[in-house]
Amino acid sequence: MRAQFVLSEIGVGLRRNLTMTFAVIVSVGLSLALFGGSLLMSDQVNQMKGYWYDKVNVSIFLCNKSDAESDPNCAKGAVTTEQKDQIKSDLGKMNVVDNVLYESQDQAYKHYKDQFGDSPLASSLTPDQMQQSYRIKLKDPEKYQVIASAFNGRAGVQSVQDQKGILDNLFTLLSYLNWAARGVMFVMLVVALLLIVNTVRVSAFSRRRETGIMRLVGASGFYIQAPFIMEAAVAGLIGGTIACSFLVLGQYFVIDNGVALSEKLQLINFVGWDAVLTKLPLILAASFLMPALAAFFALRKYLKV
Amino acid sequence: MGLSAGFAYGHAHLPPATRGASVIRFDNVSKVYPKQTRPALRDVSLEVERGEFVFLVGSSGSGKSTFLRLVLREERTSHGQVHVLGKDLARLSNWKVPQMRRQLGTVFQDFRLLPNKTVGENVAFAQEVIGKSRGEIRKSVPQVLDLVGLGGKEDRMPGELSGGEQQRVAIARAFVNRPKLLIADEPTGNLDPQTSVGIMKLLDRINRTGTTVVMATHDQNIVDQMRKRVIELEKGILVRDQARGVYGYQH
């Protein structure tokens, strides 16, 4: 009896306030879609980091003869065999290092030819002018500084270069974008909550006759407030469902099929359905808990028992 | 604690008050509304026993409504204590107030019925909100409607009924949970004299079941005919408390 009674009150309340309900649904839907989007975006950035960091190296470039003249780091002349061996054994002792690859001048020349064979410079280069280098794979790509501080300025080392630095610019940009999305989400969420507070207030005002009578016959505070709170929660839940379908449709039509970014941008491996699906319960929970809480606090002010 | 003050106005010939039996007790109650200097009630002490029928009279602004609002705990006192059904309302926490109100019934001048619910639903409303089962409601609603003389009109809408009938619905709603105390704020204020008599007969019958009735009214004829206890307020001060009283002395 009670459940049925409360449900019918919710239906009446939502219909009575149709335009406001609609506004609440749309703003909750959009803000939570942004919320889910930004969660997926940071998943995406993490996944890309994992993928790319596996492929990047720290390189220690060693001095050659021509560097000895032009580069102050190599003032002592080209690298010697002892220096190379010393570097190699030092690297072997460091526990942040996963493995070390040596690239000779000839190999460097060959790689260069492969990559930039068309360039007019290529024909004038000789293997002599290329640098020998150690290509180091780190266990944790963030630990680049350890290598840099250990080998920068050492005799025979021209420079220590971290390829991760290049990627980091990209990731910084992505994380700025993510923060921007979160900012918009936050503003939308505030708008949604204010709308809910206002809707509940109007709703409580238009039903003050009923609530007054309920008070007189001794209905508990919760019993009087429940329909209003449920109203907000139901509207929020509809909004949350819309947000979820945005995410699902986005994954389906933009990433997998339709625009099919995953085929066109094969360099990026996009987050999969598992990432999307794990966000949905979170969004649904947020979509009815937040409006319910907003309604609860609004009612404390506008519906004294 | 101020008990004796209740006897200072000439109803000492009533049965002596025992704490347990009093339904309403005011001890030196004053009420000043915020931003107002003149108190709405000033040092009022009185006691209403179980089973009594009490008229509360006085001109507009004399403090009758404040008195009733204090009993319903829609307001709190500024000074003094109000006991209703043995409970000190000042010490009653907010969440227990609904529990207290379930033991009271209330009737108003403007009926306060829900226009979009039928007569039966209006009465059932009072039971739904306190969580009575559907079976109980089905049983008690026709019963109480019979009692107020509206048997068979369950499916009518309040708008289709006369003022007197609407007030009977309101009384049925107030009485359906068998309250110990019925508060009536000018229940005949909107009704013609003949209909009013019918309503008063009904309230009298409810009173005879043991329910205490406190009724604020302006209706001189009714008070003079019923010869019940009369409490008169004037500018917030209790000026008369008379058993089997009349509406007022000739001015």
Side-chain angles (χ1 to χ4, degrees), chain A residues 214-243:
Chain A
M214 281 170 132
R215 275 178 346 130
L216 283 176
V217 298
S220 64
F222 175 76
Y223 199 78
I224 295 175
Q225 294 179 354
F228 297 96
I229 294 175
M230 292 302 287
E231 239 174 80
V234 166
L237 202 58
I238 297 173
T241 315
I242 290 174

Side-chain angles (χ1 to χ4, degrees), chain B residues 210-229:
Chain B
T211 304
T212 311
V213 178
V214 175
M215 170 173 161
T217 188
H218 285 298
D219 196 324
Q220 184 169 356
N221 287 335
I222 285 172
V223 178
D224 290 350
Q225 276 168 25
M226 301 265 295
R227 305 296 287 189
K228 299 283 187 184
R229 179 178 170 191

